[in-house]
Amino acid sequence: MPGDRLRKMQDELLDLFALATDLPIVSFEYREGQWMGSFPERGRANFESHCNLLHTFPGGRKLCEEDMCQRAARVLETGQGHLSQCHAGLYNLALPIRETEGTHTVVLYGQMRLAEAPYQQTAWEKHCEVRDKLGLTTAQGEQLWQALLQAKQFPRGKLVELQHRLPQIATALNALIDGHEVHSHVLRRAAEKICHELKTRLQAMVATAANLRDEWELLAPTDLRHELDVLVKEILALDTVVENLSDQTFLSDYRFTTQSIVSLLYLAKHLYEAEAARRGIEIAIHLQGYTDLHISSAHLQYAFSNLLHNAVKYSFRGTPSRPRRVQVTGAPYPGKPGYAVTFENYGVGILACEKIKIFQKGYQGKLTQREFRTGAGQGLAFVQQVIERHHGSIEVESTLMADTQDPLGRPHRNKFTVYLPYRQPGDTA
Amino acid sequence: MSKTIIWLEDDTNVIDPVVRPLERAGYTIVRFNTVEEALQAIDQIRTADLLLLDMIHLPPATGEDFGRYPGLTVLRQLRETHGVATPVVVFSVVSHTQTHAQLRELGVADIIRKPVLPSELKRRVEQVLEAGA
């Protein structure tokens, strides 16, 4: 499924389906050469006691999983749903879920037995095969057979009807998923329009206030100029709120792939290089070691860009004779299978008591406020959310560089270190 | 002779104060409010010293599809179809990194995000003009 929201929606739909039919449901996703199974809440609850019992015998669960994978693979090959008998003799239906690029998810449900006599014979033969394969004792075999006889029983006509409905169910599921995508698209376009309108108004306000301030620099009273100055800064701070919210809105669902983070960091550098140069700051990137990580690149791009922009924004200005440097360094994390990226600058500091607070939504750094360079308190909160969604972490260091008791306004060496694991849970590549 | 800047922007009536420092410094600002106006004045853009370009515009009255970012489509047409080499500064709210990459490929000299201080806009426009002089 493309993304978390759709995955959640699919699970909810399957749960409803399980609730309505009392049938167990498993969804299988084909990812990077392997089938990954997941069970909606109700889907697992509806499992037949026969299957649950089989799983308690050594090798029983593996046998079941292999069988389900084979049937899911058949759907992937043909693109068609089908009805088939499982290794233990129960009937199951397999249903393809269409993806943007072909079928990747298959839903299996069923675990039904038929009442008719010919079926009893086939089921017995299958049961014996499983019993022998797993080396069950006579008592265990008998217990398993009795459990099979307790499985939900359907007349053949019902099975045929379900088989007939299979394509309809697939069509309905896919229509719901498509509808959700259209809905998301419309919402994003609406958000973009609102952002455009807000920023246009902010531009008009800031231009008018700044022109008044600059053109009347010598004539206007000091307090009026000061008020205009505050107004300009507050409008620009408001813009940061709109900017962060819109960036976050435009990001699509998390989509994890394995790729190098080098291009993300260089794109971030590319975006803020001009701004840095205007402030007499050079951005240097130095990465070493293996940089391929399992990431959602659009989200991590946002996080890296935000951290690099902060490093530039909160740096003290350089001069031609003494340029400042924002440094990005990366290396494998010692002792853990992951990579660490550090964004380092020399400028406005972060107080020790703020190192956790700066990641809270709406929090604005005390020293940045003093410097009139305050952000909106949205960006870092979202950065932390992105890093945590990657099962990583972020740490902050801020060291006062001058020998003084008053840290306000003094230069600090600041480091934001992002730790990211190479692999994510469920990534079997 | 004063330098001419073509400004393609559909909200000039709202954000006009942003170019005042440029006008006060003696630059001639020619305002186009729609993509149609700009595409009918290709020769004027060709001979201008700079094109200040917004990315988002209302769809043209002709019904022609200019896509999500009409400014980007106009820029493509100017560069690729008409061979216009006038320096371009994008002045827009669009902030997606992918769009920025496309703009750089089309030889955009600078990308300025709205809102910006008028003095900052003037400084960056002058920087591009000086680089091209």
Side-chain angles (χ1 to χ4, degrees):
Chain A
M1 293 293 289
D4 287 356
R5 281 197 302 240
L6 281 179
R7 188 184 300 275
K8 191 165 176 286
M9 187 182 71
Q10 179 188 279
D11 284 350
E12 281 169 5
L13 283 171
L14 295 180
D15 246 0
L16 282 174
F17 185 81
L19 188 68
T21 60
D22 276 340
L23 295 174
I25 291 179
V26 186
S27 77
F28 269 81
E29 193 179 345
Y30 193 67
R31 211 163 52 203
E32 296 174 24
Q34 289 217 352
W35 285 100
M36 310 289 296
S38 66
F39 302 83
E41 200 56 33
R42 293 285 310 183
R44 189 187 284 279
N46 289 350
F47 254 65
E48 284 295 336
S49 55
H50 169 267
C51 301
N52 289 329
L53 177 64
L54 188 63
H55 290 177
T56 63
F57 300 129
R61 182 181 294 277
K62 191 165 177 279
L63 206 62
C64 255
E65 284 172 358
E66 281 172 0
D67 185 74
M68 286 195 278
C69 287
Q70 276 174 18
R71 275 177 294 139
R74 189 176 144 196
V75 172
L76 188 70
E77 279 164 23
T78 62
Q80 301 290 318
H82 65 85
L83 173 71
S84 60
Q85 207 172 16
C86 82
H87 64 105
L90 295 174
Y91 278 92
N92 284 273
L93 294 111
L95 176 73
I97 306 288
R98 195 183 66 237
E99 298 279 345
T100 318
E101 296 156 11
T103 299
H104 291 273
T105 305
V106 175
V107 175
L108 297 177
Y109 63 98
Q111 294 180 343
M112 298 164 287
R113 67 190 182 92
L114 294 185
E116 287 79 0
Y119 163 76
Q120 295 285 2
Q121 182 58 35
T122 332
W124 173 253
E125 285 165 11
K126 290 267 186 187
H127 164 75
C128 292
E129 276 176 34
V130 169
R131 187 195 58 196
D132 295 346
K133 213 177 267 184
L134 296 179
L136 302 183
T137 63
T138 311
Q140 286 170 331
E142 180 57 23
Q143 196 186 358
L144 192 64
W145 175 244
Q146 289 305 320
L148 184 77
L149 293 179
Q150 297 302 313
K152 278 182 288 293
Q153 185 170 287
F154 283 82
R156 178 165 280 279
K158 177 76 177 168
L159 209 58
V160 171
E161 186 194 322
L162 273 174
Q163 191 174 11
H164 177 66
R165 288 199 185 281
L166 205 60
Q168 293 172 4
I169 295 166
T171 306
L173 269 174
N174 288 325
L176 280 165
I177 290 166
D178 289 347
H180 177 85
E181 282 178 346
V182 169
H183 186 59
S184 300
H185 178 68
V186 169
L187 276 181
R188 282 206 189 104
R189 292 300 289 267
E192 187 174 53
K193 197 169 179 325
I194 291 166
C195 169
H196 177 252
E197 291 300 320
L198 280 173
K199 283 183 163 258
T200 303
R201 265 81 199 153
L202 287 174
Q203 178 64 82
M205 285 192 277
V206 82
T208 307
N211 284 343
L212 269 175
R213 180 193 61 183
D214 299 344
E215 289 170 18
W216 293 88
E217 196 176 357
L218 298 175
L219 298 174
T222 314
D223 57 344
L224 179 61
R225 275 186 282 129
H226 176 70
E227 277 179 28
L228 285 169
D229 201 37
V230 170
L231 184 62
V232 165
K233 279 162 182 156
E234 286 185 350
I235 296 168
L236 292 177
L238 194 56
D239 167 59
T240 315
V241 179
V242 177
E243 185 70 33
N244 283 327
L245 289 176
S246 65
D247 276 354
Q248 292 161 30
T249 309
F250 296 142
L251 280 174
S252 53
D253 296 329
Y254 281 85
R255 185 189 282 265
F256 285 87
T257 54
T258 299
Q259 70 167 80
S260 170
I261 58 167
V262 173
S263 60
L264 307 187
L265 289 166
Y266 275 91
L267 180 56
K269 180 186 175 187
H270 187 66
L271 285 174
Y272 300 113
E273 213 163 24
E275 183 177 334
R278 282 195 298 278
R279 297 172 56 84
I281 299 162
E282 181 196 16
I283 301 174
I285 297 181
H286 181 67
L287 306 171
Q288 53 180 322
Y290 188 68
T291 58
D292 283 7
L293 277 79
H294 202 61
I295 54 168
S296 179
S297 64
H299 292 81
L300 208 57
Q301 180 70 71
Y302 173 88
F304 284 167
S305 299
N306 190 290
L307 289 169
L308 186 63
H309 193 201
N310 279 352
V312 170
K313 201 163 60 169
Y314 298 124
S315 279
F316 288 157
R317 282 178 186 275
T319 59
S321 59
R322 198 175 61 167
R324 301 275 186 212
R325 176 177 276 203
V326 164
Q327 196 143 315
V328 181
T329 50
Y333 201 76
K336 279 187 187 175
Y339 201 79
V341 184
T342 299
F343 298 82
E344 190 176 340
N345 79 341
Y346 183 81
V348 184
I350 299 153
L351 296 173
C353 62
E354 295 184 298
K355 286 182 183 170
I356 294 173
K357 286 182 189 164
I358 55 169
F359 294 106
Q360 291 171 359
K361 257 189 180 171
Y363 185 79
Q364 296 172 319
K366 288 190 191 308
L367 301 187
T368 57
Q369 281 182 48
R370 165 76 76 92
E371 293 282 322
F372 273 120
R373 287 185 232 183
T374 181
Q378 297 289 329
L380 279 179
F382 191 62
V383 166
Q384 190 182 40
Q385 192 184 319
V386 169
I387 303 299
E388 285 180 353
R389 182 66 181 71
H390 283 78
H391 300 90
S393 60
I394 182 163
E395 285 170 13
V396 186
E397 281 177 54
S398 183
T399 315
L400 180 63
M401 299 307 285
D403 182 18
T404 171
Q405 294 303 304
D406 176 15
L408 296 175
R410 297 290 182 181
H412 286 64
R413 173 79 60 204
N414 302 304
K415 283 185 184 180
F416 280 76
T417 301
V418 174
Y419 162 74
L420 293 163
Y422 278 119
R423 300 271 166 252
Q424 297 295 314
D427 162 33
T428 51
Chain B
M1 201 175 98
S2 80
K3 291 194 171 176
T4 302
I5 297 167
I6 306 268
W7 186 20
L8 176 51
E9 163 69 63
D10 58 357
D11 282 317
T12 50
N13 55 337
V14 184
I15 62 166
D16 211 50
V18 79
V19 294
R20 194 147 82 199
L22 284 165
E23 288 184 312
R24 283 165 65 90
Y27 294 97
T28 303
I29 310 286
V30 178
R31 294 162 176 81
F32 290 147
N33 292 109
T34 64
V35 291
E36 296 102 311
E37 273 178 52
L39 290 174
Q40 281 163 14
I42 287 168
D43 287 336
Q44 203 178 345
I45 296 173
R46 197 190 302 278
T47 54
D49 295 286
L50 187 133
L51 171 62
L52 194 59
L53 178 68
D54 185 22
M55 298 283 288
I56 298 177
H57 296 266
L58 290 172
T62 55
E64 200 176 341
D65 184 11
F66 273 76
R68 189 172 178 186
Y69 301 122
L72 184 62
T73 310
V74 168
L75 180 58
R76 278 222 173 86
Q77 287 195 15
L78 289 173
R79 289 279 196 254
E80 292 167 4
T81 313
H82 302 285
V84 174
T86 307
V88 172
V89 170
V90 165
F91 177 42
S92 185
V93 300
V94 175
S95 60
H96 314 309
T97 48
Q98 279 182 343
T99 315
H100 279 215
Q102 288 176 52
L103 291 170
R104 296 282 184 195
E105 278 169 19
L106 287 164
V108 164
D110 200 357
I111 300 168
I112 304 172
R113 288 183 185 189
K114 289 176 192 167
V116 71
L117 290 175
S119 55
E120 172 76 355
L121 178 73
K122 175 175 172 281
R123 202 178 57 73
R124 287 168 72 173
V125 162
E126 285 183 328
Q127 209 170 35
V128 173
L129 286 169
E130 279 163 21

